[in-house]
Amino acid sequence: MTLWDAWKNKSLDETIGLCRDLVEDTDFPTVKKWKAAGGKTLGHFQVYFPEEIAHAAGMLPVKLRGSQVDRKKADAHFGSYICSIPRSSLELCLSNTLDLDMFVTQPICDVARNLAGIWARNFKYPAQILYLPQNANSAYSSTYLRDEYARLARELEKITGTLITDAALQNSIRVFNENRRGLRKLYDIKRETPWLLGIDEAFVLVAVGAMIPREEHNALLAQVIPQIQARTAKKQDRIRVVFEGGFCELPPVDLLRVIGQSCYVVDDDLLIGLRWILEDVSSDGDVLHNLADAYLNKSSYSPVQHDLRKPKEKMLMQRVKNANAQAAIVTAAKMCEPGLDEQVAYSKTFDEHNIPYFISEFEEKMTGFDHVQIQLETFVESILFE
């Protein structure tokens, strides 16, 4: 079954518009279509989840990344001083907008670690915690994580009634390897020719992959990448910046568009979980072990993974250097403890290296961007006319 092919044989601008419409559609029509056809869905909370395992079970993995919905029920289930994304994600499920067959969260912060309990009290389907290694530097972390992935696979087999075979896992690895290659090409364009692809355009092209089967996303990327490369947009006199702070809760697309009007965003951590693994995963041998090893040793970074080999400040400096950026935009979702903590460390590091940076906060439901636009334009002009 083809879930979403409205983009086929369309122009690039039409395709990007269709992707944005789908990403911002709070009704999640592709998920509803999948369920109506008898498919099983697995909803997983940010940041990283091994979607290959759900894919091998025949499920549609859906990233719960929040939404700009009116929260009528969810707020009663949380305390006051937390970020927006768990509230809006729960609202989508309480309102039956998202009909899941399983929910999985990870202990990435105090809020996320409690979501499985909240889901378990409110829904009949299973809600679990995927315990990613807290000590990524342990010699046994990959073995531990391989066994945790195997436990998850057994749970998915119970839900789907489908045995997750080695052949199915190998096929899923190949599908997702192709997807990650496509996403890397997309970000290569952002770094090398950022005038061809705005941050808001790249975001919706990536985000739509979390709402459709990866095979369809691979086909979409295969169509749009040559179209982007063929664009005739001219390079403008804008500074090159790295955007940091979108690893979990996501800023509104209109905020990204406003940022893209003032500068070239040549790299970012938006939806980093979909791009977490940086190289192809081997489909030979023990596939679950290969997937676990890739998570630990062939991966990006975020404030919610603690790995002494990947100090956040050093990794961000490397991102700035690799993208040949002149400055950084360091943001955080309101009430996001990991993101706000890292702002302090990032600021100190940028001060030490004399790199200009712009500090900001966002919320997924914010609708006014004039003040951010004015502040950002002032920041950009201070660098251009220094």
Side-chain angles (χ1 to χ4, degrees):
M1 178 186 69
T2 300
L3 206 58
W4 188 64
D5 61 358
W7 51 270
K8 286 189 175 179
N9 301 316
K10 294 291 195 298
S11 69
L12 178 60
D13 289 342
E14 287 176 314
T15 299
I16 290 174
L18 289 167
C19 288
R20 174 168 180 167
D21 289 344
L22 182 58
V23 168
E24 293 188 316
D25 191 333
T26 57
D27 202 40
F28 289 80
T30 53
V31 182
K32 281 184 167 60
K33 184 177 179 180
W34 178 271
K35 288 289 292 185
K40 302 287 188 180
T41 57
L42 181 146
H44 60 90
F45 196 66
Q46 299 271 41
V47 172
Y48 172 79
F49 179 81
E51 293 186 323
E52 291 90 335
I53 303 175
H55 182 273
M59 303 182 79
L60 178 68
V62 180
K63 179 179 280 293
L64 295 187
R65 49 178 175 77
S67 183
Q68 291 187 321
V69 293
D70 291 330
R71 299 194 299 262
K72 300 177 180 179
K73 300 179 180 180
D75 284 354
H77 298 265
F78 293 100
S80 301
Y81 299 104
I82 67 168
C83 56
S84 295
I85 182 173
R87 301 171 186 266
S88 55
S89 295
L90 180 61
E91 184 70 36
L92 290 171
C93 296
L94 288 174
S95 63
N96 294 318
T97 300
L98 279 179
D99 182 14
L100 305 178
D101 294 284
M102 185 176 186
F103 171 74
V104 180
T105 186
Q106 301 90 29
I108 59 172
C109 67
D110 288 340
V111 177
R113 78 180 72 234
N114 292 307
L115 291 183
I118 293 173
W119 250 260
R121 287 195 296 270
N122 288 279
F123 303 99
K124 294 181 179 180
Y125 54 78
Q128 297 221 354
I129 299 175
L130 176 65
Y131 290 98
L132 299 171
Q134 294 300 298
N135 181 5
N137 305 119
S138 168
Y140 298 98
S141 58
S142 60
T143 300
Y144 159 80
L145 185 56
R146 186 260 176 230
D147 291 342
E148 182 68 357
Y149 285 174
R151 180 190 66 80
L152 173 66
R154 291 192 295 270
E155 294 297 325
L156 299 187
E157 288 174 342
K158 296 176 185 177
I159 294 170
T160 62
T162 301
L163 182 65
I164 301 177
T165 64
D166 288 343
L169 283 169
Q170 290 166 350
N171 175 67
S172 295
I173 291 291
R174 287 190 288 268
V175 169
F176 279 75
N177 279 344
E178 180 182 349
N179 191 250
R180 285 185 282 263
R181 287 194 294 268
L183 296 180
R184 288 197 294 271
K185 288 179 182 178
L186 208 61
Y187 270 72
D188 286 344
I189 294 172
K190 279 167 58 73
R191 279 187 290 270
E192 297 165 11
T193 52
W195 51 92
L196 297 181
L197 186 66
I199 180 176
D200 56 314
E201 296 175 321
F203 171 76
V204 297
L205 288 172
V206 174
V208 76
M211 308 171 71
I212 59 177
R214 277 306 191 282
E215 292 89 343
E216 294 184 22
H217 194 223
N218 290 344
L220 185 152
L221 292 175
Q223 174 179 295
V224 300
I225 288 174
Q227 291 177 321
I228 296 168
Q229 293 169 329
R231 266 182 165 174
T232 57
K234 298 292 181 65
K235 180 180 179 181
Q236 298 181 7
D237 188 19
R238 298 182 184 178
I239 66 169
R240 299 168 60 93
V241 305
V242 162
F243 179 97
E244 191 82 5
F247 61 93
C248 186
E249 185 171 325
L250 298 166
V253 178
D254 280 334
L255 175 58
L256 298 179
R257 182 181 55 80
V258 166
I259 292 171
Q261 290 174 345
S262 299
C263 50
Y264 289 134
V265 180
V266 289
D267 204 352
D268 59 63
D269 65 343
L270 297 165
L271 292 168
I272 194 65
L274 299 180
R275 303 179 287 117
W276 183 259
I277 295 175
L278 302 177
E279 304 174 19
D280 281 359
V281 179
S282 174
S283 58
D284 298 328
D286 187 339
V287 178
L288 289 180
H289 185 273
N290 297 344
L291 199 56
D293 181 72
Y295 167 80
L296 293 163
N297 300 315
K298 300 176 181 178
S299 54
S300 187
Y301 70 97
S302 86
V304 296
Q305 188 204 40
H306 306 289
D307 188 334
L308 296 177
R309 300 167 302 174
K310 296 188 290 186
K312 312 302 187 302
E313 303 91 325
K314 181 178 179 180
M315 297 299 290
L316 178 54
M317 284 297 301
Q318 191 64 45
R319 175 171 280 167
V320 170
K321 180 180 178 182
N322 291 346
N324 194 25
Q326 299 162 264
I329 297 174
V330 182
T331 66
K334 290 183 178 180
M335 302 294 179
C336 174
E337 184 175 347
L340 292 169
D341 282 349
E342 292 302 334
Q343 277 191 341
V344 177
Y346 291 155
S347 300
K348 181 179 179 181
T349 299
F350 285 141
D351 286 337
E352 292 172 352
H353 291 84
N354 198 30
I355 294 176
Y357 59 93
F358 178 81
I359 294 286
S360 182
E361 288 185 3
F362 66 86
E363 189 175 18
E364 63 183 12
K365 286 193 68 175
M366 66 187 294
T367 56
F369 311 105
D370 290 347
H371 66 292
V372 176
Q373 186 172 20
I374 293 171
Q375 292 171 353
L376 185 58
E377 287 175 351
T378 303
F379 170 73
V380 169
E381 289 173 0
S382 72
I383 296 173
L384 285 174
F385 303 115
E386 186 177 22

